[in-house]
Amino acid sequence: MFSHAARVRFNYPRVLLLLAAVIAATLAPGALVAAGPGGVPAEGQMAPPNPAPDERFKADILVIVAHPDDETAVGPYLARAIFDQHKRVAVIYGTPGNGGGDAQGNAQAAALGAIRQTEAREAMAAFGVLHVWFLCGTDTPGQNVLQSLETWDHGKALGETVRLIRLTRPEVIMTWLPVYAAGENHDDHQASGVIATEAFDLAADATAFPEQISQPRNRDGIMNLTEGLLPWQPKKLYYFTDALHFEFLQRQGPSYNSMDVSPSRHRSYYQLATESAAHHLTQGDSGQAAKWALEGGPEFIYAKEPVSLVLGKSLVAGTTTGDVWEGIEPRELPFSPVTGYRPEARHGVSVELGGPWAFYKLFWKAHNIDHLRDLIPTPEVAVGNGQPVHVPLLIHNDTDHAVEVTIQTALGPGWKELHGAGRYPVRPHETYPVEMEYSSPSTDKPEWQTLSWRLEAPGQTVGTITLRVMTDSPGLPQ
């Protein structure tokens, strides 16, 4: 009820006139009337139009990365797309970056994450990008993608990513390369690439997270638990990487010169990207380096390199190295199903690298990106001096009798075996996981070294595994 003071101020004549105008409009011939819940018209009246998807959130490019400042890896290309091609960009960050260092102050953990989220929003606002989302992943230092998928709560992160694809309806998704390549190659980077790939394939699938595309009973009401989005099939998926070597990227996708000058801004895309990156001041190798470059110091080398992309998949006509927008037309595509998981047939006794290597071999085939297996023909990893190297092996016994498998290791100078080599009893139709661990040597400069394992069973050679290791790298713990 209104208080006495409110009744005194209430303009009854004006309200009555307004109500009369509304009633007259709704009773006019051909008027659109929503007389019941959810816009259901009364008998003989026309229903209101069904609302179209919200154009405010429509994106041309959706960037899906792991940490605030990861977008700097493609910053010069984003400057080109935004300022001169007038493309709409949105960004998803998998974590707030709460596990990194702080080059600006003493903030750590959750406080650092709060700061880095703000830095990311400011950096993207410098590009005019305001649509930025964060998943609930935990920043997880390491190189094993399976660890990050665990700490991110894989299913929850995937569901949220599918939701945001359906909301933003991007033509193109850009994300980290889901490949174990020597370099920093943060496991969170790989996780964002895995989840982006899965979401690319699921966003148009009406059976995936169906609550997101189920219409609410009454969109004007409250307590609607279904979401009312529509399925959406993106058209292209591109990857980028921070590996220590880049020869494997040649002719895998388009490449863009970061030193080209923007016709609209009259500055190089390198300069524009550096100005954006300078907002990430907690990060020494991005924000601080960019700030220093803007103040006349050494160039921000990361933004100066060409932006080289790997074409993950395209559902439109075009060439591998063609422009990102080649073949893209303003029309919706139907759902494009992928192969999905298929168990591999094995025979006898065999061995393979486990962990992320075994996962990727299945993942690439399941998502129709099996060409990624050819990027790195020999498995590789990078570690710093004296850091431990963990090598998971899987011994498969697909016979009807038990076998004993012996593992012999060949190490280079300075390597120390902590555990792993020995004899392993493997039951019939069992897979025996073996965790090998070594201490890497100290080297004066980054260099490639090789580790290899020979596995034998009585009367037969089970197989040989080779791993390239770059030592004295600036990488994270393996």
Side-chain angles (χ1 to χ4, degrees):
M1 297 294 293
F2 293 107
S3 67
H4 174 71
R7 287 196 299 270
V8 170
R9 293 192 300 270
F10 206 90
N11 191 328
Y12 283 102
R14 181 176 296 176
V15 171
L16 291 175
L17 287 173
L18 178 61
L19 288 174
V22 170
I23 292 171
T26 57
L27 295 180
L32 301 179
V33 178
V40 177
E43 183 177 356
Q45 296 175 329
M46 184 180 295
N50 185 38
D54 196 332
E55 280 297 314
R56 294 175 300 167
F57 299 99
K58 176 72 176 79
D60 297 303
I61 301 173
L62 178 61
V63 179
I64 302 177
V65 289
H67 313 107
D69 87 343
D70 282 357
E71 83 287 344
T72 61
V74 287
Y77 175 77
L78 295 181
R80 180 190 299 265
I82 292 167
F83 295 128
D84 294 317
Q85 296 178 325
H86 308 292
K87 302 300 183 183
R88 295 165 290 182
V89 173
V91 185
I92 299 175
Y93 295 98
T95 81
N98 55 304
D102 186 353
Q104 183 73 7
N106 290 323
Q108 285 294 303
L112 176 60
I115 293 172
R116 293 190 69 184
Q117 289 181 72
T118 301
E119 290 178 338
R121 295 186 189 281
E122 291 176 346
M124 296 315 303
F127 278 164
V129 174
L130 302 180
H131 295 158
V132 174
W133 291 273
F134 290 84
L135 307 181
C136 298
T138 297
D139 195 343
T140 308
Q143 297 184 51
N144 186 341
V145 62
L146 303 179
Q147 293 179 169
S148 290
L149 292 175
E150 172 67 23
T151 59
W152 283 28
D153 191 343
H154 188 173
K156 182 177 181 181
L158 176 58
E160 181 67 10
T161 304
V162 169
R163 174 182 291 112
L164 291 173
I165 290 176
R166 288 168 171 171
L167 175 65
T168 58
R169 297 172 293 129
E171 307 299 313
V172 172
I173 290 177
M174 293 184 175
T175 187
W176 286 112
L177 181 68
V179 170
Y180 202 155
E184 182 196 17
N185 203 40
H186 200 301
D187 47 0
D188 286 344
H189 293 184
Q190 298 177 63
S192 66
V194 166
I195 288 171
T197 303
E198 294 173 328
F200 182 101
D201 293 335
L202 289 177
D205 184 345
T207 67
F209 306 102
E211 67 280 3
Q212 297 177 4
I213 58 174
S214 177
Q215 293 300 309
R217 290 183 176 179
N218 177 11
R219 67 183 179 86
D220 293 324
I222 61 174
M223 295 302 292
N224 285 305
L225 298 181
T226 53
E227 302 179 29
L229 296 174
L230 295 175
W232 181 259
Q233 179 63 69
K235 297 179 175 70
K236 287 187 177 183
L237 175 63
Y238 284 97
Y239 300 118
F240 48 89
T241 181
D242 58 350
L244 291 176
H245 59 113
F246 301 104
E247 76 284 349
F248 65 90
L249 299 180
Q250 294 181 9
R251 305 199 60 77
Q252 297 298 322
S255 183
Y256 296 91
N257 189 345
S258 299
M259 303 308 293
D260 287 347
V261 175
S262 164
S264 64
R265 296 303 172 110
H266 309 294
R267 300 200 302 282
S268 70
Y269 297 120
Y270 157 78
Q271 178 78 11
L272 296 169
T274 301
E275 292 169 359
S276 173
H279 290 277
H280 296 286
L281 290 178
T282 58
Q283 303 306 294
D285 60 351
S286 58
Q288 292 289 342
K291 178 175 179 288
W292 194 6
L294 294 174
E295 293 172 349
E299 293 178 321
F300 181 37
I301 192 64
Y302 292 133
K304 192 175 181 180
E305 296 293 329
V307 176
S308 296
L309 302 173
V310 174
L311 178 59
K313 62 174 69 180
S314 175
L315 304 181
V316 297
T319 59
T320 299
T321 58
D323 182 70
V324 166
W325 302 101
E326 181 183 28
I328 292 182
E329 299 177 357
R331 60 183 178 87
E332 294 187 23
L333 294 184
F335 170 55
S336 179
V338 293
T339 301
Y341 169 68
R342 298 289 187 273
E344 290 190 331
R346 295 191 306 262
H347 305 281
V349 183
S350 59
V351 62
E352 65 174 330
L353 281 170
W357 291 284
F359 162 70
Y360 278 135
K361 186 170 67 171
L362 300 175
F363 176 78
W364 297 329
K365 286 185 178 180
H367 291 275
N368 295 3
I369 52 174
D370 203 29
H371 60 285
L372 297 187
R373 67 179 178 180
D374 300 323
L375 293 181
I376 309 291
T378 301
E380 62 184 37
V381 67
V383 296
N385 281 337
Q387 288 187 349
V389 177
H390 296 267
V391 182
L393 300 180
L394 297 175
I395 306 173
H396 305 292
N397 179 11
D398 292 289
T399 72
D400 295 327
H401 56 275
V403 296
E404 182 180 281
V405 176
T406 301
I407 300 179
Q408 298 175 340
T409 306
L411 300 174
W415 285 89
K416 295 180 180 179
E417 182 173 275
L418 303 180
H419 62 78
R423 296 179 299 166
Y424 291 86
V426 189
R427 295 188 296 266
H429 303 287
E430 177 188 34
T431 293
Y432 196 124
V434 179
E435 187 76 14
M436 319 288 287
E437 184 177 2
Y438 304 90
S439 176
S440 63
S442 295
T443 55
D444 295 331
K445 59 181 180 179
E447 62 181 55
W448 287 106
Q449 300 195 30
T450 300
L451 303 180
S452 63
W453 298 268
R454 181 182 177 88
L455 282 76
E456 296 182 341
Q460 64 174 308
T461 297
V462 173
T464 301
I465 299 290
T466 299
L467 179 68
R468 291 204 313 162
V469 182
M470 179 174 282
T471 57
D472 190 28
S473 78
L476 294 166
Q478 193 259 351

mmCIF file of all heavy atoms in Angstrom, residues 192-227:
data_model
loop_
_atom_site.group_PDB
_atom_site.id
_atom_site.type_symbol
_atom_site.label_atom_id
_atom_site.label_comp_id
_atom_site.label_asym_id
_atom_site.label_seq_id
_atom_site.Cartn_x
_atom_site.Cartn_y
_atom_site.Cartn_z
ATOM 1 N N SER A 192 42.473 -24.726 -22.352
ATOM 2 C CA SER A 192 41.548 -23.813 -23.029
ATOM 3 C C SER A 192 41.352 -24.242 -24.482
ATOM 4 O O SER A 192 40.246 -24.128 -25.024
ATOM 5 C CB SER A 192 42.064 -22.375 -22.946
ATOM 6 O OG SER A 192 43.261 -22.206 -23.672
ATOM 7 N N GLY A 193 42.419 -24.758 -25.121
ATOM 8 C CA GLY A 193 42.285 -25.253 -26.485
ATOM 9 C C GLY A 193 41.420 -26.489 -26.572
ATOM 10 O O GLY A 193 40.626 -26.650 -27.508
ATOM 11 N N VAL A 194 41.547 -27.373 -25.601
ATOM 12 C CA VAL A 194 40.713 -28.580 -25.560
ATOM 13 C C VAL A 194 39.246 -28.205 -25.388
ATOM 14 O O VAL A 194 38.362 -28.675 -26.123
ATOM 15 C CB VAL A 194 41.174 -29.516 -24.427
ATOM 16 C CG1 VAL A 194 40.138 -30.601 -24.149
ATOM 17 C CG2 VAL A 194 42.522 -30.151 -24.783
ATOM 18 N N ILE A 195 38.966 -27.343 -24.425
ATOM 19 C CA ILE A 195 37.577 -26.976 -24.136
ATOM 20 C C ILE A 195 36.977 -26.179 -25.288
ATOM 21 O O ILE A 195 35.810 -26.379 -25.657
ATOM 22 C CB ILE A 195 37.516 -26.203 -22.812
ATOM 23 C CG1 ILE A 195 37.773 -27.171 -21.652
ATOM 24 C CG2 ILE A 195 36.180 -25.494 -22.632
ATOM 25 C CD1 ILE A 195 37.945 -26.517 -20.301
ATOM 26 N N ALA A 196 37.769 -25.293 -25.902
ATOM 27 C CA ALA A 196 37.261 -24.547 -27.047
ATOM 28 C C ALA A 196 36.900 -25.481 -28.202
ATOM 29 O O ALA A 196 35.886 -25.285 -28.884
ATOM 30 C CB ALA A 196 38.297 -23.520 -27.496
ATOM 31 N N THR A 197 37.737 -26.487 -28.430
ATOM 32 C CA THR A 197 37.468 -27.460 -29.500
ATOM 33 C C THR A 197 36.203 -28.255 -29.202
ATOM 34 O O THR A 197 35.343 -28.447 -30.080
ATOM 35 C CB THR A 197 38.664 -28.409 -29.668
ATOM 36 O OG1 THR A 197 39.849 -27.655 -29.950
ATOM 37 C CG2 THR A 197 38.423 -29.404 -30.780
ATOM 38 N N GLU A 198 36.079 -28.728 -27.980
ATOM 39 C CA GLU A 198 34.874 -29.470 -27.599
ATOM 40 C C GLU A 198 33.631 -28.596 -27.744
ATOM 41 O O GLU A 198 32.583 -29.048 -28.248
ATOM 42 C CB GLU A 198 35.010 -29.965 -26.161
ATOM 43 C CG GLU A 198 36.099 -31.010 -25.968
ATOM 44 C CD GLU A 198 36.327 -31.355 -24.508
ATOM 45 O OE1 GLU A 198 36.147 -30.470 -23.642
ATOM 46 O OE2 GLU A 198 36.688 -32.514 -24.233
ATOM 47 N N ALA A 199 33.726 -27.341 -27.304
ATOM 48 C CA ALA A 199 32.563 -26.451 -27.364
ATOM 49 C C ALA A 199 32.208 -26.103 -28.806
ATOM 50 O O ALA A 199 31.024 -25.963 -29.143
ATOM 51 C CB ALA A 199 32.844 -25.192 -26.562
ATOM 52 N N PHE A 200 33.218 -25.948 -29.680
ATOM 53 C CA PHE A 200 32.970 -25.729 -31.106
ATOM 54 C C PHE A 200 32.084 -26.836 -31.656
ATOM 55 O O PHE A 200 31.181 -26.590 -32.460
ATOM 56 C CB PHE A 200 34.308 -25.688 -31.843
ATOM 57 C CG PHE A 200 34.211 -25.422 -33.327
ATOM 58 C CD1 PHE A 200 34.464 -24.157 -33.831
ATOM 59 C CD2 PHE A 200 33.905 -26.441 -34.229
ATOM 60 C CE1 PHE A 200 34.394 -23.904 -35.206
ATOM 61 C CE2 PHE A 200 33.827 -26.202 -35.587
ATOM 62 C CZ PHE A 200 34.075 -24.928 -36.081
ATOM 63 N N ASP A 201 32.346 -28.060 -31.228
ATOM 64 C CA ASP A 201 31.629 -29.224 -31.750
ATOM 65 C C ASP A 201 30.289 -29.470 -31.063
ATOM 66 O O ASP A 201 29.481 -30.252 -31.563
ATOM 67 C CB ASP A 201 32.503 -30.475 -31.621
ATOM 68 C CG ASP A 201 33.728 -30.419 -32.511
ATOM 69 O OD1 ASP A 201 33.697 -29.703 -33.524
ATOM 70 O OD2 ASP A 201 34.735 -31.083 -32.178
ATOM 71 N N LEU A 202 30.043 -28.837 -29.919
ATOM 72 C CA LEU A 202 28.834 -29.127 -29.146
ATOM 73 C C LEU A 202 27.795 -28.014 -29.175
ATOM 74 O O LEU A 202 26.628 -28.258 -28.875
ATOM 75 C CB LEU A 202 29.196 -29.411 -27.683
ATOM 76 C CG LEU A 202 29.914 -30.730 -27.394
ATOM 77 C CD1 LEU A 202 30.258 -30.816 -25.909
ATOM 78 C CD2 LEU A 202 29.070 -31.923 -27.812
ATOM 79 N N ALA A 203 28.205 -26.787 -29.502
ATOM 80 C CA ALA A 203 27.300 -25.653 -29.344
ATOM 81 C C ALA A 203 26.047 -25.775 -30.212
ATOM 82 O O ALA A 203 25.001 -25.213 -29.881
ATOM 83 C CB ALA A 203 28.030 -24.346 -29.641
ATOM 84 N N ALA A 204 26.136 -26.491 -31.334
ATOM 85 C CA ALA A 204 24.971 -26.673 -32.203
ATOM 86 C C ALA A 204 24.270 -28.009 -31.964
ATOM 87 O O ALA A 204 23.273 -28.309 -32.626
ATOM 88 C CB ALA A 204 25.379 -26.563 -33.669
ATOM 89 N N ASP A 205 24.768 -28.789 -31.027
ATOM 90 C CA ASP A 205 24.191 -30.099 -30.714
ATOM 91 C C ASP A 205 23.046 -29.911 -29.721
ATOM 92 O O ASP A 205 23.252 -29.511 -28.576
ATOM 93 C CB ASP A 205 25.285 -30.993 -30.115
ATOM 94 C CG ASP A 205 24.809 -32.414 -29.848
ATOM 95 O OD1 ASP A 205 23.582 -32.655 -29.841
ATOM 96 O OD2 ASP A 205 25.670 -33.291 -29.619
ATOM 97 N N ALA A 206 21.838 -30.200 -30.156
ATOM 98 C CA ALA A 206 20.662 -29.976 -29.309
ATOM 99 C C ALA A 206 20.606 -30.898 -28.105
ATOM 100 O O ALA A 206 19.819 -30.666 -27.183
ATOM 101 C CB ALA A 206 19.391 -30.129 -30.142
ATOM 102 N N THR A 207 21.436 -31.942 -28.094
ATOM 103 C CA THR A 207 21.449 -32.847 -26.931
ATOM 104 C C THR A 207 22.530 -32.473 -25.930
ATOM 105 O O THR A 207 22.618 -33.096 -24.874
ATOM 106 C CB THR A 207 21.674 -34.299 -27.389
ATOM 107 O OG1 THR A 207 22.998 -34.445 -27.925
ATOM 108 C CG2 THR A 207 20.654 -34.712 -28.422
ATOM 109 N N ALA A 208 23.361 -31.486 -26.257
ATOM 110 C CA ALA A 208 24.432 -31.055 -25.363
ATOM 111 C C ALA A 208 23.942 -29.868 -24.540
ATOM 112 O O ALA A 208 23.555 -28.842 -25.088
ATOM 113 C CB ALA A 208 25.674 -30.674 -26.162
ATOM 114 N N PHE A 209 23.949 -30.025 -23.224
ATOM 115 C CA PHE A 209 23.472 -28.981 -22.321
ATOM 116 C C PHE A 209 22.112 -28.455 -22.799
ATOM 117 O O PHE A 209 21.945 -27.258 -23.064
ATOM 118 C CB PHE A 209 24.500 -27.851 -22.216
ATOM 119 C CG PHE A 209 25.872 -28.341 -21.830
ATOM 120 C CD1 PHE A 209 26.862 -28.474 -22.791
ATOM 121 C CD2 PHE A 209 26.159 -28.698 -20.523
ATOM 122 C CE1 PHE A 209 28.129 -28.939 -22.449
ATOM 123 C CE2 PHE A 209 27.421 -29.169 -20.170
ATOM 124 C CZ PHE A 209 28.404 -29.291 -21.136
ATOM 125 N N PRO A 210 21.117 -29.354 -22.917
ATOM 126 C CA PRO A 210 19.825 -28.961 -23.503
ATOM 127 C C PRO A 210 19.078 -27.922 -22.683
ATOM 128 O O PRO A 210 18.225 -27.209 -23.225
ATOM 129 C CB PRO A 210 19.058 -30.289 -23.555
ATOM 130 C CG PRO A 210 19.684 -31.127 -22.478
ATOM 131 C CD PRO A 210 21.131 -30.768 -22.496
ATOM 132 N N GLU A 211 19.389 -27.801 -21.401
ATOM 133 C CA GLU A 211 18.721 -26.790 -20.583
ATOM 134 C C GLU A 211 19.020 -25.380 -21.086
ATOM 135 O O GLU A 211 18.230 -24.448 -20.873
ATOM 136 C CB GLU A 211 19.165 -26.925 -19.115
ATOM 137 C CG GLU A 211 20.631 -26.599 -18.836
ATOM 138 C CD GLU A 211 21.602 -27.716 -19.171
ATOM 139 O OE1 GLU A 211 21.167 -28.766 -19.688
ATOM 140 O OE2 GLU A 211 22.804 -27.533 -18.911
ATOM 141 N N GLN A 212 20.150 -25.220 -21.776
ATOM 142 C CA GLN A 212 20.509 -23.897 -22.292
ATOM 143 C C GLN A 212 19.640 -23.469 -23.471
ATOM 144 O O GLN A 212 19.452 -22.271 -23.707
ATOM 145 C CB GLN A 212 21.977 -23.880 -22.723
ATOM 146 C CG GLN A 212 22.969 -24.120 -21.607
ATOM 147 C CD GLN A 212 24.405 -24.158 -22.118
ATOM 148 O OE1 GLN A 212 24.660 -23.924 -23.304
ATOM 149 N NE2 GLN A 212 25.346 -24.475 -21.239
ATOM 150 N N ILE A 213 19.118 -24.425 -24.217
ATOM 151 C CA ILE A 213 18.340 -24.092 -25.414
ATOM 152 C C ILE A 213 16.860 -24.404 -25.243
ATOM 153 O O ILE A 213 16.086 -24.268 -26.194
ATOM 154 C CB ILE A 213 18.892 -24.819 -26.658
ATOM 155 C CG1 ILE A 213 18.881 -26.327 -26.459
ATOM 156 C CG2 ILE A 213 20.296 -24.336 -26.970
ATOM 157 C CD1 ILE A 213 19.288 -27.099 -27.699
ATOM 158 N N SER A 214 16.448 -24.787 -24.041
ATOM 159 C CA SER A 214 15.030 -24.994 -23.766
ATOM 160 C C SER A 214 14.399 -23.642 -23.455
ATOM 161 O O SER A 214 14.943 -22.842 -22.686
ATOM 162 C CB SER A 214 14.847 -25.936 -22.574
ATOM 163 O OG SER A 214 13.472 -26.090 -22.263
ATOM 164 N N GLN A 215 13.260 -23.360 -24.085
ATOM 165 C CA GLN A 215 12.631 -22.060 -23.904
ATOM 166 C C GLN A 215 11.979 -21.940 -22.528
ATOM 167 O O GLN A 215 11.395 -22.892 -22.024
ATOM 168 C CB GLN A 215 11.580 -21.830 -24.989
ATOM 169 C CG GLN A 215 12.169 -21.686 -26.379
ATOM 170 C CD GLN A 215 13.122 -20.520 -26.473
ATOM 171 O OE1 GLN A 215 12.785 -19.404 -26.077
ATOM 172 N NE2 GLN A 215 14.323 -20.760 -26.996
ATOM 173 N N PRO A 216 12.062 -20.777 -21.917
ATOM 174 C CA PRO A 216 11.398 -20.581 -20.618
ATOM 175 C C PRO A 216 9.884 -20.551 -20.787
ATOM 176 O O PRO A 216 9.370 -20.226 -21.858
ATOM 177 C CB PRO A 216 11.932 -19.226 -20.158
ATOM 178 C CG PRO A 216 12.285 -18.517 -21.420
ATOM 179 C CD PRO A 216 12.769 -19.568 -22.359
ATOM 180 N N ARG A 217 9.169 -20.899 -19.732
ATOM 181 C CA ARG A 217 7.704 -20.871 -19.806
ATOM 182 C C ARG A 217 7.181 -19.448 -19.993
ATOM 183 O O ARG A 217 6.228 -19.217 -20.723
ATOM 184 C CB ARG A 217 7.124 -21.468 -18.526
ATOM 185 C CG ARG A 217 7.331 -22.961 -18.393
ATOM 186 C CD ARG A 217 6.674 -23.493 -17.132
ATOM 187 N NE ARG A 217 6.782 -24.942 -17.041
ATOM 188 C CZ ARG A 217 6.317 -25.652 -16.029
ATOM 189 N NH1 ARG A 217 5.717 -25.057 -15.018
ATOM 190 N NH2 ARG A 217 6.462 -26.969 -16.028
ATOM 191 N N ASN A 218 7.805 -18.521 -19.324
ATOM 192 C CA ASN A 218 7.362 -17.133 -19.394
ATOM 193 C C ASN A 218 8.597 -16.252 -19.291
ATOM 194 O O ASN A 218 9.127 -16.045 -18.209
ATOM 195 C CB ASN A 218 6.372 -16.820 -18.269
ATOM 196 C CG ASN A 218 5.949 -15.356 -18.277
ATOM 197 O OD1 ASN A 218 6.226 -14.626 -19.224
ATOM 198 N ND2 ASN A 218 5.264 -14.938 -17.223
ATOM 199 N N ARG A 219 9.038 -15.720 -20.412
ATOM 200 C CA ARG A 219 10.294 -14.964 -20.406
ATOM 201 C C ARG A 219 10.180 -13.657 -19.635
ATOM 202 O O ARG A 219 11.194 -13.047 -19.279
ATOM 203 C CB ARG A 219 10.747 -14.692 -21.835
ATOM 204 C CG ARG A 219 9.872 -13.763 -22.634
ATOM 205 C CD ARG A 219 10.375 -13.620 -24.057
ATOM 206 N NE ARG A 219 9.535 -12.746 -24.854
ATOM 207 C CZ ARG A 219 9.652 -11.429 -24.901
ATOM 208 N NH1 ARG A 219 10.580 -10.828 -24.182
ATOM 209 N NH2 ARG A 219 8.858 -10.708 -25.661
ATOM 210 N N ASP A 220 8.961 -13.190 -19.380
ATOM 211 C CA ASP A 220 8.782 -11.959 -18.613
ATOM 212 C C ASP A 220 8.685 -12.224 -17.114
ATOM 213 O O ASP A 220 8.618 -11.292 -16.323
ATOM 214 C CB ASP A 220 7.514 -11.222 -19.065
ATOM 215 C CG ASP A 220 7.651 -10.686 -20.483
ATOM 216 O OD1 ASP A 220 8.766 -10.268 -20.831
ATOM 217 O OD2 ASP A 220 6.656 -10.689 -21.224
ATOM 218 N N GLY A 221 8.656 -13.497 -16.746
ATOM 219 C CA GLY A 221 8.479 -13.835 -15.344
ATOM 220 C C GLY A 221 9.796 -14.062 -14.632
ATOM 221 O O GLY A 221 10.878 -13.777 -15.134
ATOM 222 N N ILE A 222 9.706 -14.608 -13.457
ATOM 223 C CA ILE A 222 10.883 -14.932 -12.665
ATOM 224 C C ILE A 222 10.912 -16.431 -12.418
ATOM 225 O O ILE A 222 9.964 -17.145 -12.713
ATOM 226 C CB ILE A 222 10.896 -14.163 -11.324
ATOM 227 C CG1 ILE A 222 9.661 -14.535 -10.483
ATOM 228 C CG2 ILE A 222 10.963 -12.659 -11.552
ATOM 229 C CD1 ILE A 222 9.673 -13.928 -9.095
ATOM 230 N N MET A 223 12.041 -16.897 -11.909
ATOM 231 C CA MET A 223 12.218 -18.316 -11.568
ATOM 232 C C MET A 223 12.224 -19.210 -12.800
ATOM 233 O O MET A 223 11.829 -20.366 -12.751
ATOM 234 C CB MET A 223 11.152 -18.791 -10.570
ATOM 235 C CG MET A 223 11.235 -18.120 -9.208
ATOM 236 S SD MET A 223 12.843 -18.383 -8.421
ATOM 237 C CE MET A 223 12.775 -20.142 -8.106
ATOM 238 N N ASN A 224 12.662 -18.682 -13.945
ATOM 239 C CA ASN A 224 12.859 -19.532 -15.117
ATOM 240 C C ASN A 224 14.209 -20.221 -14.993
ATOM 241 O O ASN A 224 15.237 -19.559 -14.868
ATOM 242 C CB ASN A 224 12.824 -18.695 -16.398
ATOM 243 C CG ASN A 224 11.419 -18.276 -16.766
ATOM 244 O OD1 ASN A 224 10.543 -19.108 -16.895
ATOM 245 N ND2 ASN A 224 11.204 -16.972 -16.921
ATOM 246 N N LEU A 225 14.218 -21.518 -15.049
ATOM 247 C CA LEU A 225 15.460 -22.272 -14.884
ATOM 248 C C LEU A 225 16.026 -22.770 -16.211
ATOM 249 O O LEU A 225 17.144 -23.263 -16.250
ATOM 250 C CB LEU A 225 15.246 -23.442 -13.921
ATOM 251 C CG LEU A 225 14.840 -23.032 -12.497
ATOM 252 C CD1 LEU A 225 14.671 -24.256 -11.620
ATOM 253 C CD2 LEU A 225 15.868 -22.086 -11.889
ATOM 254 N N THR A 226 15.241 -22.704 -17.272
ATOM 255 C CA THR A 226 15.787 -23.001 -18.598
ATOM 256 C C THR A 226 16.085 -21.682 -19.292
ATOM 257 O O THR A 226 15.506 -20.646 -18.964
ATOM 258 C CB THR A 226 14.825 -23.862 -19.418
ATOM 259 O OG1 THR A 226 13.526 -23.235 -19.455
ATOM 260 C CG2 THR A 226 14.696 -25.244 -18.800
ATOM 261 N N GLU A 227 17.007 -21.704 -20.287
ATOM 262 C CA GLU A 227 17.707 -20.482 -20.632
ATOM 263 C C GLU A 227 17.278 -19.784 -21.916
ATOM 264 O O GLU A 227 17.572 -18.608 -22.101
ATOM 265 C CB GLU A 227 19.210 -20.769 -20.668
ATOM 266 C CG GLU A 227 19.725 -21.298 -19.345
ATOM 267 C CD GLU A 227 21.209 -21.617 -19.362
ATOM 268 O OE1 GLU A 227 21.965 -20.977 -20.126
ATOM 269 O OE2 GLU A 227 21.614 -22.512 -18.616
#
